[in-house]
Amino acid sequence: MTYRIDQADVAHIAKLARLSLSDDEIDSYQNSLSRILEVIDVMNSEDLSGFAPMDHPLETVNLLREDLVVPGLDRAEVLEAAPSAEDNYFRVPRILGSS
Amino acid sequence: MNDEILDWGIRELQRRLESAEVSAVEVLEAYQEQIAIQEPEVDAFLSLDLEAARRRASYQDERRARGERLGRLAGVPVVLKDNLCTINFPTTAASKILDGWVPPYNATVVDRLDEEDAIVLGKTNLDEFAMGSSTENSAFKITRNPHDLDRVPGGSSGGSAAAVASRMALAGLGSDTGGSIRQPAALTGIVGLKPTYGRVSRYGLLAFASSLDQIGPLAASVEDTALVAECIMGHDPRDATSLQEAPPQLLGSLSQGVQGIRIGVVTNLIEAANPEVQAGVEAAIQALARAGAIVEEVALKELAYGLAAYYVVAPAEASSNLARYDGVRYGLREPGVTVEEMMIATRTKGFGPEVKRRIMLGTYALSAGYYDAFYVTAQRVRTFVREAFARAYVSFDLLIAPTSPTTAFRIGERSNDPVEMYRSDVCTIPSNLSGDPAISVPAGVDADGLPIGVQLLGPALSEQVLFRAAFVIEEGLH
Amino acid sequence: MSSRTIAGPARGWEYVIGLEVHTELRTATKLFCGCPNAFGEEPNTSICPVCLGLPGSLPVMNAQAVDFAIRVGLALNATIQRSQFHRKNYFYPDMPKDFQISQYDVPINANGHLELPSGAVIGIERAHLEEDTGKLVHRGGGGRIESAEYSLIDYNRSGVPLLEIVSAPDIRDPEEAKEYVAELRSILVAVGASDGRMEEGSLRVDANVSVRPVGETQMRTRVEIKNLNSLRSLTRALEFEGRRQVQLYEDGEAMLQQTRFWDEARAVTGALRLKEEANDYRYFPEPDLPPVAPDPLVIEARRSELPEFLSTRRAQLADVLPELSRDLRETVITDECWPYLRAALDANITPHRAVARCANELVALLDEIGALSPSRFVEVLALEDEGKLGASQVKVLLREACLDPLAIPELVAKLGFTASDADAVKAMVAEVVASCTQEWSRYLAGDEKVAGFLLGQVMRRYGRQISGSDARQALTRLAEEARAESS
Ligand SMILES: [Zn+2]
């Protein structure tokens, strides 16, 4: 099955990914993503139903750590590197509303 | 004297330091001079601190004078790909979104190099977030291939490869998600190892695709590569995917040869390469055969599906791994009235076009309605590829193939065609999908004098045999 | 099944409620890093590269959190299974990686159930591990999210282990929802997984609510109410929401599937004004965390270590006292009371008496229980069972047994209760009435008013040794015997 990606798809996934694209960019990404999807489509030329999906190269389980406290980071140093901070908190613009 | 110093490999350097024939400061000065000459042409570094390196070298000389025993990399000038977290240098992944960010912690591999007394000179250029095969996707600069300054050094670890190839450092660390250590090693004429997944801790490596990423060494010789690999491998409790197995002893067995070792020549990958690369690989095969290896051809058509699966799995994981760059806690922030507008503005300004392309591709592959068709199918391909390898390793101890289908291409030649660029990785991607180790070794040059790389592939945890065979090729082609 | 009547949101309608209870697990450290799991610390003091989502950091699973999850799963009669972590992808500033590590199609616990005091059985669909988010503080505009000028973030809570327990939509009214949460809370506390403090946010409830006409079997459009952080808010919000939904249906208006919040001050639920972006969480297996596959031997060991739950005690009581009232039962099965009652029942004390002494005398003494161990309690009740002590003597003796560690027989002697078995009291009363023949005859003839006089005489003489009520009992019995003899 071949997947066509249209401009609305590109706009939708850009929104999901928190990216803003100009009309030209939407056009150009639609073009390149479509070509990449053609490469990806090679997967569908083989019947793979007999192959279980592989999540990960490792087959280990239960890699757990003990519940022991380990020293963390210095707040002043971390907030110093933050784009905006106030009263020992990270500061961000308001959550709701629009411009 | 300085030129002579640059010729020494790590063990040679260690001997001269131990016998007080040379000091760590003198070694550093030789490299400093080389950097002054080469760096303006090659542009390998994103940050460089030779003053700090000099202080460290001088301190090592004092310790040595006091009779202290130093680490296995004492006095060795090394470079780090700029996607490895370092307290002493900014870590940017060659992205504007992290411009100037200094991590409050070191990657585990950086601590390990430190424990072995390596001298870190600086951080090297890469394709932004390791997404690329030419280092042209860096937001900051283009790194050039020391063998021809109009050509790319490969990527994404192109900065580390170019630095080692131009003798500005003895060894470098890179990361390999689809060939990003092996391909630049091949294109710059040095050795590069992608270890078995889990051999080297990923803690502190800025994640691209977590189930594929692996850190590994690049160096001018097989021996130096083996030594650095020994130093960085081993279990790390901070990485739940790090293997419990003890790290392999590589140096001790390096010269044991390949007598009776069965090597499969992967015909369909060789056919994908240009004739000059094929000739290089053939020379390497001859060298192995002369040393007593049993060489036979094998076709693994399943590997051809790797590229497609890779361009689903890697972008999918990347789309999630790169979500955290949102302007809230570190790095770039662009203004916005609401937090959502701020995030969008920041990510739009901070990420380059290739990173955006892969984030969108991955977002698409994971989104509702497409997950099974893309992500699950790609996971089935991983099993398909892994089983093909498993069958091959019943008959063979190792496989041999080109590292890259071509030698170094011209700057700009493929940068407008992502699909063409992606095809550069067709020979290296399968090992990342299966999690197995592979090493690229120089195999001569083409008619333009550009290096050719040959790749040895082995089953999980086969690094020891890989290095023995790599050493045979290196010796045999000299 | 109980004969509980279902209180619907309106006549002819019933609720369909499913609850998602998020409980913070009482581990020493967070789910994926070694930062302290502490409440009420200074902002951003319990942070590290992992829980701040710094580039390059990796999660490593806390073994204790897995252990708590197993204990809770066993207590909820769930299947404990090999589980996988997934990433739930969405952008929000209190979530440092902009994805949450959670469990998706294969949670560690699945298919359990919880029996309520009413006898109702509520299905548990799953109980899975996930990480908590940081905390937002809104500045300006009265500190409310809708009107704030900007917001501040504290990541101390980021990465704190949560167990999300999801019930089936089996709950049929707000009271039952409250009962479910209370019962669940007692289990979480009993296995040590939670401190159960709702006011500190260690137990947070989201409710999925819909209504339907009684008799209809299909589910209608449901509304999710977020962050119900007390039992009172839970019942009030559900009551309001039920009425709101019935009203909408009866007015023929559209029911929207939406997320609402409970406004405690105005006692209404309101729609959350979040951007209506289709939730596309793009779940995929977390590549940084290997699956968790609990060892069957460990599961069995944890099963054998489970504490006794209220449901077990209810069942044991139902065996000996099937008619016991719910109030009385719930009073005596508490952790404080139950060891005394269990000891008494094991010693074959009359069950009714044992329950009565627990519910009346013991409960009042719990704060000053001191030297009154279950075995001493049983000794006292045995004296009463054997008729050697009267009810009011038992009361005095129990209090004394708390304060004074002397052996019970010595305490009885110290209180002068030695002669105080029922026959002895009768003898004392008989002796006194023998000296008041006139009043005694009037009493026998039916004049109740002289009883006070006779008892006064008895108490004046023997008041230190016997109680008024025992004396009254003896007087009544004596009179009955005398009348029987003369007839
Ligand atoms: Zn932490």
Side-chain angles (χ1 to χ4, degrees), chain C residues 93-260:
Chain C
D94 64 4
M95 209 168 49
K97 302 181 293 295
D98 289 296
F99 60 78
Q100 183 193 28
I101 302 177
S102 182
Q103 297 192 310
Y104 181 50
D105 50 359
V106 272
I108 183 161
N109 299 307
N111 299 325
H113 63 265
L114 176 62
E115 191 178 334
L116 302 186
S118 66
V121 176
I122 307 299
I124 304 287
E125 291 183 347
R126 55 191 286 148
H128 70 255
L129 285 162
E130 64 182 27
E131 55 178 338
D132 208 344
T133 61
K135 256 186 195 157
L136 287 167
V137 179
H138 306 294
R139 286 282 159 92
R144 292 202 311 276
I145 187 169
E146 314 88 64
S147 45
E149 288 161 29
Y150 61 94
S151 299
L152 302 177
I153 316 171
D154 169 13
Y155 289 108
N156 282 350
R157 200 181 66 185
S158 160
V160 161
L162 292 179
L163 193 71
E164 181 178 338
I165 302 155
V166 182
S167 87
D170 291 346
I171 298 167
R172 289 290 172 272
D173 71 60
E175 267 313 303
E176 189 166 81
K178 178 176 156 185
E179 202 177 311
Y180 168 83
V181 173
E183 188 69 10
L184 186 58
R185 181 183 169 280
S186 83
I187 284 182
L188 293 169
V189 172
V191 300
S194 165
D195 60 20
R197 291 190 194 128
M198 286 190 89
E199 66 280 7
E200 287 181 8
S202 46
L203 218 65
R204 308 196 289 273
V205 183
D206 297 343
N208 288 305
V209 202
S210 62
V211 295
R212 66 185 174 197
V214 173
E216 191 173 295
T217 51
Q218 281 197 316
M219 304 251 284
R220 294 196 170 195
T221 307
R222 63 185 188 154
V223 159
E224 183 176 14
I225 313 174
K226 286 276 188 198
N227 274 328
L228 298 164
N229 294 339
S230 71
L231 292 178
R232 188 177 130 89
S233 302
L234 174 68
T235 46
R236 292 178 74 207
L238 289 172
E239 280 163 8
F240 174 86
E241 183 59 23
R243 287 195 302 270
R244 188 187 74 88
Q245 292 188 15
V246 168
Q247 191 67 52
L248 280 176
Y249 283 123
E250 289 184 340
D251 294 351
E253 288 184 43
M255 259 296 296
L256 298 176
Q257 176 160 356
Q258 59 182 187
T259 302
R260 299 177 73 85

Side-chain angles (χ1 to χ4, degrees), chain C residues 265-311:
Chain C
R266 293 166 51 220
V268 296
T269 62
L272 271 177
R273 285 195 297 143
L274 289 173
K275 288 251 167 70
E276 277 314 315
E277 182 180 278
N279 286 336
D280 186 347
Y281 293 127
R282 287 159 285 135
Y283 283 99
F284 73 101
E286 166 57 89
D288 292 328
L289 286 172
V292 171
D295 181 340
L297 292 174
V298 171
I299 295 176
E300 283 323 302
R302 295 294 172 269
R303 196 191 301 279
S304 69
E305 290 160 18
L306 281 182
E308 186 177 59
F309 296 113
L310 297 183
S311 54

